Amino acid sequence: MAVILASCAFWAPVKFVVPGDDGKPEIINFRARYKRLTRPERKELERRVAANSLTPEVRKGARERLDNPEHKYTAKDRKEIELRLQAEPIDDEEFLKEVLVDWELKDKKGEKVMFSQTTLAELSDAWDGFEAALVGAFYEGRANATSKEAVEKNSAEPSATTS
């Protein structure tokens, strides 16, 4: 039996900044909707993101430590290190294919830009940094939602009938 505690996706604000006239930034604010990940999905995505910074030297050093019997790793730690070493790196385009499901974006005329993978690819090609803004918003949305301040601000007042 599946227990549903929240929606399968969440909205987060996106701030995309491009150079404007006379050196002033032009700011495009919109909202994006991201898939809410399960723990296994989140861990795999984190491994793939971390794999971007695993140089051959780092991988070799980790492998040597893992193979060295003097290093006392638990079976769980050993499995996680193996999974990290085997993870395929992921770029922003692939990342967004995994997590981005919709947006509320309007063009310069105020008309709605419908979300699709094709439109995402077109905007990413046309506007350098667009993908990075969406990826950043995913992480900020998750971090802000779980920050102590956000939890306290958005929590309901305690019931008068409970202690």
Side-chain angles (χ1 to χ4, degrees), residues 1-156:
M1 175 176 88
V3 177
I4 300 172
L5 299 176
S7 65
C8 62
F10 66 94
W11 288 99
V14 181
K15 182 178 181 179
F16 176 51
V17 181
V18 295
D21 294 334
D22 301 318
K24 295 180 181 164
E26 191 166 338
I27 301 170
I28 295 102
N29 290 304
F30 64 102
R31 290 185 347 143
R33 189 164 170 84
Y34 300 94
K35 176 182 174 186
R36 194 177 310 279
L37 302 175
T38 63
R39 182 176 18 191
E41 290 170 331
R42 177 186 53 80
K43 285 184 172 189
E44 179 59 23
L45 195 60
E46 287 173 355
R47 288 181 195 111
R48 293 191 66 198
V49 169
N52 290 329
S53 60
L54 290 181
T55 64
E57 294 82 25
V58 171
R59 286 179 187 275
K60 181 181 176 192
R63 172 64 56 207
E64 288 171 356
R65 285 189 302 282
L66 195 59
D67 293 342
N68 185 341
E70 292 181 18
H71 285 88
K72 306 293 183 204
Y73 292 110
T74 65
K76 184 178 178 181
D77 290 340
R78 192 171 286 285
K79 180 180 178 185
E80 182 60 29
I81 293 167
E82 284 289 352
L83 289 170
R84 288 185 176 270
L85 289 173
Q86 294 168 12
E88 291 292 323
I90 189 169
D91 61 15
D92 288 349
E93 179 182 3
E94 291 176 273
F95 184 95
L96 292 172
K97 282 181 183 176
E98 293 286 326
V99 300
L100 184 63
V101 295
D102 198 4
W103 61 37
E104 290 179 351
L105 175 63
K106 294 185 179 180
D107 67 13
K108 190 85 169 163
K109 297 176 194 172
E111 295 179 23
K112 187 174 182 178
V113 178
M114 297 301 293
F115 173 78
S116 72
Q117 290 297 325
T118 302
T119 305
L120 172 61
E122 290 172 3
L123 290 174
S124 297
D125 285 343
W127 298 96
D128 190 35
F130 187 72
E131 285 177 327
L134 285 162
V135 171
F138 170 81
Y139 283 112
E140 287 178 31
R142 288 193 58 212
N144 290 343
T146 58
S147 72
K148 181 180 178 191
E149 295 80 17
V151 171
E152 289 174 357
K153 175 183 162 200
N154 295 314
S155 294

